[in-house]
Amino acid sequence: MELQIRDVSKTYANGVQALKHVTLTIPMGMYGLLGPNGAGKSTLMRTLATLQEPDTGTIRLGEIDVVRQRDELRRTLGYLPQEFGVYPKVNAEDLLDHFAVLKGIADRKARRAAVEGLLRQTNLWEVRKKHLGGYSGGMRQRFGIAVALLGNPRLIIVDEPTAGLDPAERVRFLNLLSELGENSVVILSTHIVEDVSELCSCMAIIDQGRILLEAEPLRAIADVEGRIWSRTVPRSELPALEREHAVISTRLLAGRTIAHVYSDGSPGAEFEAVEPDLKDVYFAAMGGHGRSARPVEVAA
Ligand code: ADP
């Protein structure tokens, strides 16, 4: 089973073209959709979750036509939206049980087993009697995953789940996600490159509604090997560097600027070759230096 997204476009009533001919093939396992704010990630996630329809294009999950067979899709969907409300005065166990009823798990014994299993899996069993209003951000996100996993969905969508989590909560949450995905398609939408590099075996980069790159992270990193160069300059020299070179990213270290430059060969003696990581892939793609931009090699 895989999720096939073909030529999906969406323009909002205000004229914003949020998705432009998006085509992706998403296999089972953990898939990262990476892009900056405003790239179109939530629009695509909401479309996959059947909360809105695309203007054009088709989406299939195995045998299910996602756009036309919404009810079938919803029966096998687990969706953790970017923001979700909880009833603050209800405890986790009762609310999860309530959602399980809504999900159609009618048998009381089966429901109790499912609820207990999910609360244990998300490490919330000890705090199951606590009101959700007293939960931390990380606990709330884990509760959201428990809700999303009810009924063993084959499509699981998590939209920007680590935004706002502190580092320890984030690691715990990513560990939980890493256990999913063996028998389902799990899509993690995020603007945090590390979320993808730590978890996902396949990924796509989206910007301004367009897919810039669809790849396996390790292969994408290998593809930019030898093309990323670094130079440390005083901040005042950065504009000059940007005029002369394809600067894809900059970061500050102790008041100086470390710039990464994309270049097929060494851009000069002052530059050091960089062992690239997924951030370099991301910024190279965002700067228009994706795989497709690779020059044709001419035999001597
Ligand atoms: P992301 O999740 O990557 O931040 P979104 O899908 O939320 O991106 O947004 C993509 C673009 O569509 C943005 O320019 C955003 O302002 C716009 N947009 C999102 N939702 C709506 C909406 N309901 N009406 C109009 N424009 C929207």
Side-chain angles (χ1 to χ4, degrees):
M1 186 196 63
E2 59 185 19
L3 179 70
Q4 294 185 342
I5 303 169
R6 294 286 173 270
D7 206 18
V8 164
S9 293
K10 172 74 183 177
T11 302
Y12 286 110
N14 61 0
V16 173
Q17 232 186 316
L19 297 175
K20 299 169 188 163
H21 305 287
V22 169
T23 292
L24 290 172
T25 301
I26 303 185
M28 287 209 274
M30 186 71 67
Y31 191 93
L33 182 71
L34 181 62
N37 287 331
K41 301 183 298 297
S42 290
T43 300
L44 185 58
M45 296 303 103
R46 287 197 303 265
T47 307
L48 298 177
T50 73
L51 297 174
Q52 61 185 62
E53 286 187 15
D55 297 334
T56 56
T58 58
I59 306 170
R60 293 193 79 86
L61 176 73
E63 293 301 302
I64 303 174
D65 180 328
V66 172
V67 181
R68 297 227 174 97
Q69 298 173 288
R70 286 203 225 176
D71 291 341
E72 280 86 339
L73 192 275
R74 284 177 189 177
R75 255 177 251 133
T76 195
L77 170 73
Y79 176 47
L80 178 61
Q82 205 167 347
E83 284 177 18
F84 63 98
V86 291
Y87 303 92
K89 294 199 174 134
V90 182
N91 73 46
E93 187 173 37
D94 289 348
L95 189 56
L96 194 57
D97 184 77
H98 170 72
F99 283 127
V101 173
L102 297 183
K103 198 81 193 185
I105 310 175
D107 178 71
R108 188 181 289 261
K109 219 168 154 190
R111 201 164 67 235
R112 191 170 298 169
V115 165
E116 176 171 348
L118 286 170
L119 288 172
R120 288 191 187 280
Q121 187 180 351
T122 52
N123 215 355
L124 293 172
W125 181 247
E126 304 300 323
V127 287
R128 67 190 182 279
K129 299 289 185 200
K130 193 172 164 155
H131 286 180
L132 290 160
Y135 270 22
S136 69
M139 288 157 83
R140 264 204 301 276
Q141 287 298 70
R142 281 185 275 133
F143 179 74
I145 282 289
V147 175
L149 292 180
L150 278 168
N152 296 319
R154 289 193 300 157
L155 175 61
I156 300 167
I157 295 174
V158 274
D159 196 358
E160 297 272 1
T162 62
L165 297 190
D166 71 37
E169 281 178 336
R170 178 176 164 271
V171 167
R172 190 183 286 203
F173 189 79
L174 293 183
N175 280 335
L176 170 61
L177 286 187
S178 71
E179 292 166 10
L180 313 178
E182 274 178 19
N183 302 308
S184 46
V185 172
V186 186
I187 308 178
L188 169 68
S189 131
T190 183
H191 64 275
I192 301 170
V193 179
E194 287 87 349
D195 284 357
V196 173
S197 52
E198 286 165 28
L199 277 186
C200 301
S201 45
C202 291
M203 63 173 288
I205 296 174
I206 183 170
D207 186 34
Q208 296 181 30
R210 269 185 218 289
I211 302 298
L212 300 181
L213 182 74
E214 192 181 6
E216 293 165 19
L218 294 179
R219 191 168 293 181
I221 291 169
D223 276 346
V224 296
E225 187 94 46
R227 295 185 163 86
I228 310 294
W229 306 83
S230 144
R231 185 171 162 191
T232 304
V233 293
R235 215 185 316 189
S236 58
E237 288 178 23
L238 186 59
L241 193 72
E242 284 178 325
R243 274 195 300 276
E244 284 174 30
H245 299 281
V247 174
I248 56 167
S249 67
T250 60
R251 81 187 158 90
L252 286 172
L253 186 69
R256 288 167 70 83
T257 300
I258 301 176
H260 279 196
V261 162
Y262 188 94
S263 170
D264 288 328
S266 171
E270 327 76 50
F271 289 84
E272 270 178 46
V274 168
E275 195 57 49
D277 60 19
L278 201 61
K279 273 194 174 162
D280 293 307
V281 170
Y282 176 64
F283 289 118
M286 295 289 293
H289 308 286
R291 248 193 305 196
S292 54
R294 188 199 278 188
V296 179
E297 283 173 19
V298 181

